[in-house]
Amino acid sequence: MSIFKKKSDLYLSDRQPLTFLGKVSLGLVYFVLISWSVIVIWPLYQMVVSAFNGRQQQYLIMNDAFEFSLRHFDYLFNNTLYLSWVKNTIFIASSTAILTLIMVSFTGFAYSRYRFKGRKASLMAIMLIQTIPAFAGITAYFTMHSVISSVFPYLTRQMMLILIYAGTGIAGNTFILKGYIDSISTELDDAARIDGCSDIKVYRLIIMPIARPMLAIIALWSFIGPFMDFLMPRVLLTTPSSYTLAAGLFTLINDFRTLNQPAFAAGGLLTAVPIVALFIILQKQLVSGLAKGAVKG
C-alpha cells in the first residue's frame, strides 16, 4: 500500500499547478458549458411543465401556478388527429429508413470495393447533390407526382414523400458509408474469396457486420428526418388526416380555431418517444458490430 501511495503522490506532485491564465481559461470553459446546458435544458423543462400543467389554457403562461393534470394529453388524443399523425409519421419514417439502408448498403459497398467507369464523376455528383436543399424542388415534386400518379394511380402523396426522403438521404449516406468501408482492410475480402466466398457473400458476411455501427447511425438519421421535417409534409400533404407529426402539431399553434399551445407542448414531448426507443434499440448494434464482423472474417 505504501508503494502505491508514493507513486500516487509522485504523480500528483509532478503536475504543474494552473497559472492565472489557465484558471481563467478553465473558468470560461465551464461557463460556456453551463450556459449551453441551460440553453438546451430550459426550453425542454418549460415544455414538460406546460404539458402537465392543468392551469394552462390556450396559451402558454410561464409564470402560471403548476397543477398536475393530463388534460392536454386527453385533448390531444380525443380532439385532434394525433394518432393518425403518429401512424403516418412512423410509416413514413420506417419506410424511409428501410429503403435508405437497403440502397446505401449496396451503393456504399460498390463505391468502396469496385472500380468502374464514371465512379469519380458520380461521387462528385453525389457531393454536389447534398448542396441542394430538398425543399428547393417542391414545385418539381408536385409536377412529378401529377405525372407519375396519372400512370400509377396507387402512388399516394405519402409514398412520394418517402421517395423524396430516401432519394435525398441515399446520396449523402452513400458517401459516408463508402468512407467507413474504405477503412476496412481488403485482406478480409481476399481471405473470404480464397475460402470460396462470392462477392455477395463477402458483402453479406464480412462487410455488413463490420459496418453495422455506421448502418445503425444511418438508420437513426433516416428515421429522425420525417419526425423533424415540417415544410415538405406541409406542402405535399393536402389533407389533415395525412399529415405527419410536425405538420399536424403545427395546426395547434397557427390556427385560432384549433389553437392549443399546451397540447402542442404535450405532442412535442410524445414525439420524442419513438426516437428515444429506436436509439435504445440500436445502441447495442453500435457496440457489437465491430467484433462480430471481425470474427466472421
Side-chain angles (χ1 to χ4, degrees):
M1 294 295 294
S2 60
I3 296 176
F4 291 108
K5 185 176 181 180
K6 288 180 180 179
K7 287 184 178 180
S8 177
D9 292 342
L10 180 62
Y11 172 74
L12 291 175
S13 63
D14 287 343
R15 297 181 62 183
Q16 296 295 328
L18 288 175
T19 62
F20 175 76
L21 184 60
K23 292 179 180 179
V24 172
S25 301
L26 184 62
L28 287 175
V29 170
Y30 276 109
F31 175 77
V32 171
L33 292 176
I34 293 173
S35 301
W36 182 255
S37 300
V38 172
I39 292 173
V40 173
I41 293 174
W42 181 252
L44 296 177
Y45 168 77
Q46 290 294 338
M47 182 178 68
V48 173
V49 171
S50 300
F52 290 98
N53 190 356
R55 291 182 177 271
Q56 301 278 7
Q57 300 301 323
Q58 278 188 316
Y59 298 93
L60 293 180
I61 303 176
M62 299 304 176
N63 296 325
D64 199 7
F66 181 80
E67 178 184 330
F68 180 82
S69 174
L70 298 177
R71 60 189 293 263
H72 304 308
F73 293 93
D74 180 72
Y75 177 88
L76 196 66
F77 286 108
N78 296 320
N79 296 87
T80 68
L81 298 173
Y82 180 77
L83 293 178
S84 297
W85 301 336
V86 171
K87 181 182 67 175
N88 297 335
T89 307
I90 292 179
F91 169 72
I92 293 174
S94 302
S95 302
T96 300
I98 293 172
L99 185 59
T100 302
L101 274 181
I102 293 174
M103 296 301 298
V104 167
S105 64
F106 283 108
T107 55
F109 174 73
Y111 275 108
S112 176
R113 288 301 193 255
Y114 295 102
R115 301 295 180 266
F116 50 88
K117 187 176 180 180
R119 177 175 174 272
K120 290 185 178 180
S122 57
L123 281 175
M124 288 297 297
I126 288 174
M127 294 181 64
L128 292 175
I129 288 174
Q130 295 307 295
T131 63
I132 304 174
F135 64 82
I138 288 179
T139 305
Y141 296 145
F142 257 110
T143 305
M144 289 171 58
H145 180 267
S146 300
V147 173
I148 297 174
S149 60
S150 63
V151 181
F152 302 100
Y154 296 104
L155 181 70
T156 63
R157 292 183 179 272
Q158 289 186 354
M159 294 180 181
M160 185 68 182
L161 196 60
I162 293 171
L163 294 177
I164 294 172
Y165 284 140
T168 54
I170 287 171
N173 290 323
T174 294
F175 197 79
I176 294 172
L177 185 61
K178 173 200 171 296
Y180 189 91
I181 296 177
D182 285 343
S183 64
I184 302 174
S185 175
T186 56
E187 293 179 358
L188 292 175
D189 303 16
D190 298 336
R193 289 190 176 92
I194 292 174
D195 291 338
C197 289
S198 61
D199 289 344
I200 193 66
K201 283 189 176 181
V202 172
Y203 158 83
R204 183 171 59 89
L205 299 178
I206 307 299
I207 302 299
M208 286 302 102
I210 299 177
R212 186 174 295 175
M214 183 54 65
L215 291 175
I217 293 174
I218 292 174
L220 188 61
W221 287 347
S222 302
F223 187 81
I224 291 176
F227 278 86
M228 301 293 105
D229 185 34
F230 161 75
L231 184 59
M232 295 292 292
R234 188 67 178 85
V235 173
L236 291 178
L237 304 178
T238 55
T239 58
S241 60
S242 65
Y243 283 168
T244 60
L245 276 171
L249 291 176
F250 187 69
T251 61
L252 299 178
I253 58 174
N254 77 321
D255 190 342
F256 183 79
R257 295 170 298 178
T258 58
L259 182 66
N260 195 319
Q261 293 179 352
F264 175 83
L269 184 63
L270 292 177
T271 300
V273 174
I275 299 174
V276 173
L278 182 64
F279 179 80
I280 293 174
I281 293 172
L282 294 180
Q283 193 174 20
K284 183 178 179 181
Q285 305 300 326
L286 296 175
V287 177
S288 64
L290 288 173
K292 186 176 293 186
V295 170
K296 287 184 178 181

